[in-house]
Amino acid sequence: AQSVAQPEDQVNVAEGNPLTVKCTYSVSGNPYLFWYVQYPNRGLQFLLKYITGDNLVKGSYGFEAEFNKSQTSFHLKKPSALVSDSALYFCAVRDPVRAGQNFVFGPGTRLSVLP
Amino acid sequence: KAGVTQTPRYLIKTRGQQVTLSCSPISGHRSVSWYQQTPGQGLQFLFEYFSETQRNKGNFPGRFSGRQFSNSRSEMNVSTLELGDSALYLCASSFRDRDYGYTFGSGTRLTVV
C-alpha cells in the first residue's frame, strides 16, 4: 500500500531564513510526488511535482523539492522564507503502476514564518 | 480564467437528510475529483470522473455518490447524512489527468447537526 508521512506537524522559521518541509513516502514502484499548499478558507494550490527526470524540481513561488529515491523522501525547500508563505503544506503520492490508485495525501505540515 | 467553482460554500443539514454539492471545473478540464477533508482524517479521496465516467472510487460507503455531466460539471450527493459527514468537501479539476496537477476549489463546508 502507498503512504505518505510528514513527520512535523508544525515548522517555524524566521523570515529570510531557508525553510524545509519534510515528506517521506512508501510505494511499491516509482512514485509520482506532489506538493500542495492550502491557505485559510481556501482549497489546495498546486506547487510542484515529480514524475520523472531531474531529481530537483522547481515550482511556484520560489519553492523547490528534491526527490531522493534511496531515502524515499521528497522534501520541500525555499532559500528565503516570506511571511506570506505561512500556510498548510501537503505532500501527496501516487503509485502509477497500480491500476486504480489515486493520490494519498500526507497529514499536512503547518508552516509559520515569523517576521 | 475562472477557477474551480464550488457551490454552496457553506451548508447546514440535519442528520438523515441528503445533500447535493456542485463543482464547475476550469474550462477545458475534463478530470474532476472529489476529496473529503476533516481534522482527524485529513484529505481522503472520494471519486474521480473523466468524460462523464467514474474512473476511481475511494473507500466511502454507498451513501456517497457522484456524477459528471457532458460539460464536465460534477455533482456529489450524500444521502442519509450522519454527524461524521461534517467536513470540507473539495473538488479538484485537471486539464489532462490527475498527474497533470489538480486545481482545487475553495470547498463546501458541510455541517450535519
Side-chain angles (χ1 to χ4, degrees), chain A residues 25-86:
Chain A
Y25 65 89
S26 175
V27 299
S28 55
N30 293 318
Y32 288 0
L33 293 155
F34 290 69
W35 275 102
Y36 287 87
V37 59
Q38 187 176 31
Y39 297 99
N41 300 314
R42 301 290 300 275
L44 281 70
Q45 295 180 30
F46 170 74
L47 279 178
L48 50 80
K49 66 180 179 182
Y50 172 83
I51 301 293
T52 187
D54 194 349
N55 289 346
L56 183 62
V57 178
K58 293 187 183 298
S60 306
Y61 313 120
F63 285 93
E64 59 186 31
E66 185 164 12
F67 170 60
N68 188 317
K69 188 171 184 178
S70 63
Q71 296 186 5
T72 62
S73 67
F74 189 58
H75 300 333
L76 181 70
K77 299 182 180 184
K78 187 174 182 181
S80 179
L82 300 173
V83 172
S84 57
D85 293 330
S86 298

Side-chain angles (χ1 to χ4, degrees), chain A residues 36 38 43 49 94 100-101, chain B residues 37 45 56 98-99 102 104-105:
Chain A
Y36 287 87
Q38 187 176 31
K49 66 180 179 182
R94 191 175 85 80
Q101 280 289 346
Chain B
Q37 186 178 25
F45 169 70
N56 289 295
R98 52 195 164 178
D99 297 324
Y102 288 130
F104 281 81

